[in-house]
Amino acid sequence: MDSALQEPGPKLGRLRLLLALDALLVEGSVNRAAERLGMSAPAMSRLLGQIRDVYDDPIFIRSSRRLIPTPFAESMRQRLRALAAEAEALSRPQEREKPMVGAAMDPADWARPPMVEAAPLAARRSILLEGEPSPEAFARKLASFGTSEDTRRRLAKHIATLGAGIGHSRPLTADEAEDAFSIILDGEADPVQIGALLSVMNFRGETAAELAGLVRAARAHLQAARPGAMSVDLDWPSYISPKSRRMPWFLQAALLLAQAGHRILLHGLDGGGGTRAKLASAAAAIGIPVSATTASAAETIARQGIAYLPVAAMSSQLHRLHMLYGLFETRSPVNSLMPLLNPLAAPAIMMGVVRPAYRELHCDAGALLGYGNLTVMGGSRDAAEATPFRSSTLLRRAGGRTETLFLPASPEPMAYPPTGMTSIEYWRGVWDGTVDDERATAIIGSTAAIALLTMSGAGADRLDACLIAARGLWERRRKDLPERLHPGSKTPAH
């Protein structure tokens, strides 16, 4: 007997997997696909795992918004939709076809159900309209754009790849994202194309590969340092909102580490005066030099151990792209790439990421970029600052390994009443020792400890030792602080 007839189980199981994959492609969500097929979400997750094993393909790429099919999964969408539609049609009782009598036709025949139900709007049609290009023709069109010397046509190809609609679109590869963003940074894109690419990518949700490609383009645009070329221990991106009213205690943690001999680069969003220059003003108030160029930042770090570099000083083009927030009233992929920029190629990076879904995304993109020591912290601002009075989770890459570190909440000291000082006077007073604020001290110490752990590349079991070391640095800060970093001294010109 035929072996296929003797083993019906695997064959029927494969059919079930195909129908499950169709539902996942249509719905773009495990939960909604489970509801569509009348099963539980865990059961659907198990089926997705089996589908990945069968095809040896991820099937879906992690995104901040929804499940994004891989190119392989997209290639099967049309055939799966046709298979599912035919299965649905065959599962319904069909009326026996009635013979025609002369020219007359039974009116009941007009009410018969269709052979194949129309696919949902979210799915690609299995039957093309007259004159509509097939997926293969669309792919050939995109390929022809990719070989064009016209940069705008090439960028149009990347926009179409992302935003041509369900069934015709997919995420960009890292190389494609790098090419698209390079065209923008080189000033060769039409302004409409810039808005289209950033908006479509943000709406779909960036993938780790796309984010890595954007970072590679930005680093090439900056002519960023090669790994090992600069003497910097820790890259500390600090892209807080201009509307933020919170005091930047993380700057004091960074200065504490610089005082202990670690070399720190802070970079962030400043410019235009007013509240947007908050970080530059705070840095200068405690003696952290503010650099006007990337080269001067490297020189300052070599002399003084720390520098703050506004994004406008790194690149006017990146700064202008950041300022599109005022036109979009929403973040764009430019905001996502900056924490991973690492312009001086430090061996360790510590970043803060507000949106929970983006923390794993940044960790994955860091792995693709080859970053060995990386810590992604949650919080209410896009800067790495500890929140010791709330439980939190750190996503880490330590020595090339990925791990998750849970930090329990500690008791929060009482808030201090207003002192009559301005906020920057109070903030500087904590560093000088004229203001005793246990809450601020705990934030600074915890932040410095996580930075020490990040630079060491050690496992989570070293955190307690780092906390003890950070407290000791805080207690000795005034005695050990070099004159060149003293808040009362003049910052050298550069």
Side-chain angles (χ1 to χ4, degrees):
M1 184 181 291
D2 190 341
S3 60
L5 296 178
Q6 292 178 344
E7 300 179 0
K11 300 296 182 181
L12 294 176
R14 290 290 178 90
L15 178 59
R16 187 173 184 231
L17 292 182
L18 293 175
L19 295 176
L21 179 53
D22 171 71
L24 287 164
L25 288 168
V26 170
E27 299 293 345
S29 162
V30 171
N31 289 335
R32 291 197 299 271
E35 292 176 4
R36 182 183 181 90
L37 295 184
M39 64 175 58
S40 67
M44 179 58 72
S45 295
R46 288 193 294 272
L47 289 178
L48 177 56
Q50 294 174 30
I51 293 168
R52 286 169 168 159
D53 290 340
V54 167
Y55 290 109
D56 192 23
D57 185 83
I59 302 299
F60 293 101
I61 299 172
R62 178 182 295 163
S63 165
S64 59
R65 298 289 179 83
R66 64 193 300 273
L67 295 176
I68 297 180
T70 62
F72 172 76
E74 277 290 355
S75 70
M76 295 196 295
R77 183 193 291 269
Q78 185 175 3
R79 296 170 65 191
L80 288 169
R81 187 82 289 266
L83 171 67
E86 184 67 12
E88 291 168 6
L90 290 172
S91 67
R92 291 190 299 268
Q94 298 292 318
E95 292 186 12
R96 190 182 300 273
E97 187 172 330
K98 299 181 180 179
M100 293 178 60
V101 180
M105 180 178 287
D106 191 330
D109 285 346
W110 292 89
R112 290 173 59 188
M115 179 67 71
V116 177
E117 292 284 356
L121 292 177
R124 186 166 74 188
R125 296 178 298 277
S126 58
I127 300 175
L128 298 175
L129 299 177
E130 184 178 356
E132 181 181 0
S134 67
E136 293 74 18
F138 189 78
R140 287 194 296 271
K141 178 181 178 182
L142 292 182
S144 68
F145 284 169
T147 59
S148 172
E149 295 299 324
D150 186 335
T151 53
R152 292 190 180 184
R153 282 174 60 83
R154 214 165 71 237
L155 182 55
K157 173 239 181 175
H158 297 313
I159 296 170
T161 299
L162 274 172
I166 297 295
H168 288 299
S169 63
R170 60 167 174 79
L172 299 180
T173 65
D175 290 341
E176 289 169 337
E178 181 179 5
D179 182 51
F181 203 53
S182 296
I183 294 170
I184 292 174
L185 291 174
D186 290 342
E188 298 178 354
D190 186 280
V192 174
Q193 290 181 307
I194 297 174
L197 180 77
L198 297 181
S199 295
V200 171
M201 188 178 290
N202 183 58
F203 180 76
R204 288 194 62 155
E206 308 98 305
T207 65
E210 288 172 335
L211 195 51
L214 298 180
V215 173
R216 282 177 4 200
R219 284 181 55 81
H221 169 71
L222 294 178
Q223 296 182 338
R226 298 183 304 277
M230 296 288 181
S231 297
V232 179
D233 298 319
L234 180 65
D235 184 80
W236 201 319
S238 311
Y239 292 83
I240 65 173
S241 168
K243 300 176 183 179
S244 175
R245 294 182 176 273
R246 297 180 59 191
M247 296 185 185
W249 299 116
F250 65 89
L251 290 180
Q252 297 195 16
L255 183 56
L256 192 67
L257 297 175
Q259 174 186 332
H262 301 284
R263 296 158 298 187
I264 312 293
L265 173 66
L266 297 147
H267 54 94
L269 183 60
D270 273 294
T275 57
R276 287 182 180 168
K278 179 176 182 178
L279 286 184
S281 300
I286 57 172
I288 297 177
V290 179
S291 298
T293 65
T294 304
S296 68
E299 294 170 2
T300 301
I301 291 171
R303 294 195 313 269
Q304 301 180 229
I306 191 168
Y308 173 73
L309 182 65
V311 64
M314 280 192 284
S315 164
S316 59
Q317 189 76 320
L318 281 173
H319 184 243
R320 283 193 292 268
L321 290 169
H322 257 289
M323 293 300 100
L324 288 176
Y325 181 90
L327 297 177
F328 293 168
E329 277 301 322
T330 185
R331 295 165 56 90
S332 78
V334 180
N335 299 90
S336 299
L337 77 89
M338 295 306 293
L340 290 160
L341 188 55
N342 194 12
L344 295 185
I349 306 174
M350 188 168 75
M351 68 181 70
V353 177
V354 172
R355 298 181 180 181
Y358 277 73
R359 293 169 199 160
E360 290 188 2
L361 186 69
H362 280 75
C363 197
D364 291 346
L368 292 176
L369 290 165
Y371 295 157
N373 294 324
L374 170 72
T375 296
V376 182
M377 304 171 63
S380 59
R381 62 174 10 147
D382 281 344
E385 182 176 284
T387 54
F389 317 118
R390 294 201 310 267
S391 59
S392 59
T393 301
L394 304 180
L395 295 181
R396 302 186 63 223
R397 283 185 57 75
R401 306 179 311 276
T402 300
E403 68 174 20
T404 300
L405 175 57
F406 176 75
L407 302 178
S410 60
E412 183 171 6
M414 293 180 59
Y416 286 79
T419 61
M421 306 169 72
T422 65
S423 59
I424 195 167
E425 288 172 344
Y426 186 93
W427 184 79
R428 177 173 171 173
V430 170
W431 176 259
D432 289 341
T434 58
V435 174
D436 185 14
D437 188 327
E438 294 180 15
R439 186 179 186 279
T441 300
I443 293 173
I444 295 166
S446 297
T447 304
I450 295 171
L452 287 171
L453 184 66
T454 302
M455 287 187 288
S456 72
D461 57 330
R462 294 291 301 166
L463 180 59
D464 288 341
C466 292
L467 283 167
I468 294 171
R471 293 190 193 106
L473 292 177
W474 179 256
E475 294 300 323
R476 298 192 302 269
R477 72 190 182 284
R478 297 299 300 164
K479 181 175 65 175
D480 294 345
L481 187 63
E483 181 62 26
R484 66 179 181 271
L485 288 179
H486 194 286
S489 66
K490 294 182 180 179
T491 302
H494 45 275

